[in-house]
Amino acid sequence: MTQALDRWSPPMRDPDDDTPRLECGVFGVFDIDDAAAMTALGLHALQHRGQEACGIASFDGQRFHTERHMGHVGDAFGGGGLAERMPGRFAIGHTRYSTAGGSFIRNVQPMFADMEAGGVALAHNGNLTNFLTLREQLVSDGVIFQSTSDSEVILHLIARSRKSRFVDRFTEALSRIEGGYALVALTNKKLIGVRDPLGIRPLVLGDLDGKAVLASETCALDMIGARFVRDIEHGEMVIIDRHGIESLRPFPAKQARPCIFEYVYFARPDSVVNGRSVYDVRKRMGRRLAQEAPADIDVVVPVPDSGVPAALGFAQEAGAPFEMGIIRNHYVGRTFIQPTQGARELGVRMKLAPNRAVLAGKKVMLIDDSIVRGTNSVRVVRMVREAGAAEVHLRSASPPIQWPDYYGIDMPDRDKLLAANHSVEEIAKILNVDSMGYLSVEGLYWAMGVGPRDEANPQFTDHYFTGDYPTRLLDREIAEGRNEAVDRQLSFLVDA
């Protein structure tokens, strides 16, 4: 029971870091020279999707080679000798943020297993919402786990399938999992990519001199000079081998509901996700925000770096100058976390510094991509005021985040989400701003170019704003049921 309850607790993180985190990015190449080195380049482009750990698995035609490291891609794979350590023309890679499974090397991907038909390496972006249920069933059947990652469940399900073909085994395993995911798998003959039935997590197909590439985002294709071919569609499995590319539809047909937070924050601005330029969408978010929540201001300042496109759109719509009033230091590592409050304050100043020439005496409009707990916003507003701003107004380029995520985004529980527990007026007082505003859900859908949200059949996964979860949350339901049972037992004992 404790394990199930712990799974739904937020992981330990920098107390000054208020940004939502996506678990990971995936990448894979098939039949190209220096496949591991090319994969490392692809992972560089996906570093923003996971900065705690990374790994690569390659196949040289005879055997698999795997390396998994804590830290950034450049530190792990940037030195010489990668081609010698990881030979082969086939490879997959992964960048990772830890979730409640913990930041340990045993949880770093790709994960590898020797099976009856040969080796299998697997890299996974997303989260399985029935992971604990499946894990408990497998453990009760005698399965031994080497990690606390939900990705290992998939490998065990593949291994236990009695189907003869690997693709059929893989399909049978996927039929038992729930949640949001994009997977790449490498066998001794195939590179496989698959996207969950709703297409919550992204995956794209590219072409490099006639050879197939799979990646979480198009920016990784650009990094290696590959041509974007298309998005892997929701519920689609692509099987790549020496004969070409085969597309299968192993799941019942459903309407796609991709994660709208990819456009708000996660994807790189230069990526194209599901046919939409992330940069263009973010600028449109800023334009609509200026229409919905205007203010009498002198200057528009983004909270770097993800707030920049929305701030540009806001400034253009509002007819106000756009200025870099806050400068980010890109050379501060995420490990600079100090235990005392005073040291943490200095740590924030190492990451962000006010540009006094822009801020002093001005009525400043700060634009952030989103606000989760508000801890970072408090410090940014204080910094801007101390730099001499006459007024500080704050706008979020996304709607209020009121519900946690269970599909691969690290967000706090609902009682820690600022907008879930306070009105806009209360939030303005908490953050010490002269005015506060959020983009509406309708405005976000307008920025996506799809018109109003279809309440009966939403076009996107947007539960963090609406509470409308697109799938069953089995592990959470079981955990809540166990909590209720414990509460009833405690109540009985007290009454007795």
Side-chain angles (χ1 to χ4, degrees), residues 174-347:
L174 295 178
S175 70
R176 296 187 60 186
I177 67 176
E178 301 173 8
Y181 55 86
L183 303 170
V184 294
L186 182 66
T187 73
N188 54 5
K189 295 181 180 179
K190 305 178 189 297
L191 173 66
I192 300 175
V194 62
R195 201 171 172 193
D196 65 79
L198 296 176
I200 297 175
R201 301 267 69 88
L203 190 65
V204 299
L205 174 67
D207 179 278
L208 181 65
D209 300 326
K211 305 299 183 180
V213 182
L214 294 171
S216 290
E217 292 183 37
T218 60
C219 63
L221 304 180
D222 298 335
M223 173 66 80
I224 65 169
R227 176 178 61 88
F228 169 70
V229 177
R230 65 179 179 87
D231 290 283
I232 304 302
E233 297 183 8
H234 62 291
E236 181 184 15
M237 177 188 294
V238 291
I239 303 163
I240 302 161
D241 59 22
R242 294 188 182 277
H243 302 292
I245 302 174
E246 180 183 7
S247 174
L248 300 179
R249 296 284 186 168
F251 309 112
K254 294 183 179 181
Q255 177 181 312
R257 287 189 64 178
C259 173
I260 206 167
F261 224 97
E262 291 284 345
Y263 302 92
V264 171
Y265 178 78
F266 292 127
R268 257 179 43 169
D270 54 329
S271 284
V272 176
V273 178
N274 299 307
R276 294 176 176 85
S277 162
V278 174
Y279 181 81
D280 288 346
V281 170
R282 289 179 184 168
K283 281 191 69 177
R284 285 171 58 84
M285 289 160 57
R287 284 179 51 200
R288 182 61 177 253
L289 184 59
Q291 297 169 11
E292 294 184 351
D296 178 19
I297 55 172
D298 297 320
V299 63
V300 177
V301 172
V303 177
D305 286 322
S306 52
V308 170
L312 279 169
F314 190 105
Q316 290 171 1
E317 184 69 21
F322 168 92
E323 297 286 355
M324 297 302 294
I326 301 172
I327 307 302
R328 181 181 175 187
N329 182 354
H330 291 267
Y331 303 98
V332 177
R334 295 185 71 250
T335 56
F336 190 85
I337 303 170
Q338 298 295 334
T340 66
Q341 179 67 21
R344 286 202 299 269
E345 293 286 350
L346 292 175

Side-chain angles (χ1 to χ4, degrees), residues 45 52 101 104 130 158 179 184 192 222 322 324 333-334 378 383 401-402 417 421 472 482 490:
E52 287 188 354
F104 306 108
N130 64 337
I158 295 171
V184 294
I192 300 175
D222 298 335
F322 168 92
M324 297 302 294
R334 295 185 71 250
V378 167
M383 179 191 304
I401 297 174
Q402 303 189 64
L417 295 173
N421 299 281
R472 181 177 64 160
R482 288 170 173 170
L490 292 175

